[in-house]
């Protein structure tokens, strides 16, 4: 399956909205419509013209808090989503790797995320496959960015 990961641009917005609604993430769709997509960095996975995945993370944003033993600035994933009908085909991996590549080029070495405790099985399996582990002394999962780029998943 040919998947291309690109930075979100105007023509992808309607497709992203459809993807979020397909997952039942209407509240996120509404929030993005109201507050824009400009604070964080947005990527979409395209299959042809169709938006089949989305990742929102840092790039320009820099958190004001410190994480024990992790040098700032670190990268952060806010959301990652693959269309429900297209899971386990490497789309999440492609999104995360593209993000990791850009963050590495921007000089960051570590990536974190705040795990959602609801319905956590698939995402925990996914992030574990990409090398994420609990960050000691925090509620975060994290890993070295080079690990995301070279790890085993897809
Ligand atoms: C988490 C999510 C983005 C993964 O996307 P994906 O495109 O299906 O993931 P990939 O195909 O790249 O999976 C890579 C590896 O992760 C692991 N993995 C992913 N989903 C899994 C699942 N449901 N069960 C077990 N392992 C899983 C596997 O090791 C997989 O490799 P394999 O298929 O060769 O075994 C997707 O399940 C999703 O959109 N979930 C709903 C939204 C969500 O919970 N987002 C995260 C919080 S914001």
């Amino acid at each position: 399956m040919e998947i291309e990961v690109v930075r979100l641009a105007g023509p992808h917005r309607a497709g992203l909205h459809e993807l979020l609604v397909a997952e039942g993430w209407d509240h996120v769709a509404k929030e993005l419509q109201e507050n824009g997509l400009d604070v964080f960095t947005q990527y979409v996975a395209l299959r042809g013209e169709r938006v089949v995945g989305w990742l929102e993370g840092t790039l320009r944003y820099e958190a004001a808090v410190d994480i024990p033993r992790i040098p700032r600035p670190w990268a952060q994933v806010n959301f990652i989503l693959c269309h429900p009908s297209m899971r386990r085909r490497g789309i999440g991996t492609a999104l995360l790797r593209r993000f990791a590549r850009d963050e590495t080029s921007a000089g960051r070495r570590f990536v974190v995320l705040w795990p959602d405790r609801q319905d956590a099985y698939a995402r925990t399996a996914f992030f574990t496959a990409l090398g994420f582990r609990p960050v000691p002394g925090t509620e975060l999962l994290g890993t070295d960015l080079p690990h995301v780029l070279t790890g085993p998943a897809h």
Side-chain angles (χ1 to χ4, degrees):
M1 186 176 54
E2 264 313 294
I3 294 292
E4 186 190 11
V5 176
V6 299
R7 294 285 285 273
L8 177 110
H12 308 132
R13 284 176 185 239
L16 172 58
H17 188 270
E18 250 174 59
L19 170 67
L20 293 169
V21 169
E23 179 65 15
W25 286 9
D26 303 53
H27 58 293
V28 179
K30 189 163 174 272
E31 199 180 304
L32 286 179
Q33 259 172 353
E34 282 170 3
N35 299 328
L37 292 153
D38 299 328
V39 178
F40 294 97
T41 309
Q42 314 283 339
Y43 295 87
V44 286
L46 299 175
R47 185 184 190 197
E49 306 262 296
R50 185 176 173 208
V51 176
V52 294
W54 169 60
L55 184 150
E56 181 191 88
T58 45
L59 199 56
R60 282 168 294 150
Y61 177 81
E62 195 170 322
V65 287
D66 282 316
I67 302 175
R69 292 180 294 281
I70 300 201
R72 290 172 66 175
W74 63 87
Q76 178 182 317
V77 174
N78 293 347
F79 295 104
I80 181 165
L81 175 63
C82 167
H83 193 279
S85 67
M86 290 191 198
R87 297 202 174 142
R88 303 297 292 269
R89 300 186 197 186
I91 294 172
T93 302
L95 279 160
L96 199 57
R97 289 209 164 137
R98 165 67 198 268
F99 174 64
R101 217 171 53 232
D102 288 356
E103 290 283 14
T104 303
S105 301
R108 302 186 196 215
R109 305 287 304 158
F110 202 85
V111 56
V112 297
L113 59 93
W114 269 263
D116 186 339
R117 298 199 184 290
Q118 272 186 319
D119 186 25
Y121 175 75
R123 56 179 154 257
T124 303
F126 170 73
F127 290 120
T128 302
L130 270 296
F132 283 76
R133 299 287 179 268
V135 177
T138 74
E139 295 191 350
L140 299 164
L141 295 179
T143 188
D144 292 318
L145 280 164
H147 195 122
V148 176
L149 292 170
T150 56
H154 288 280

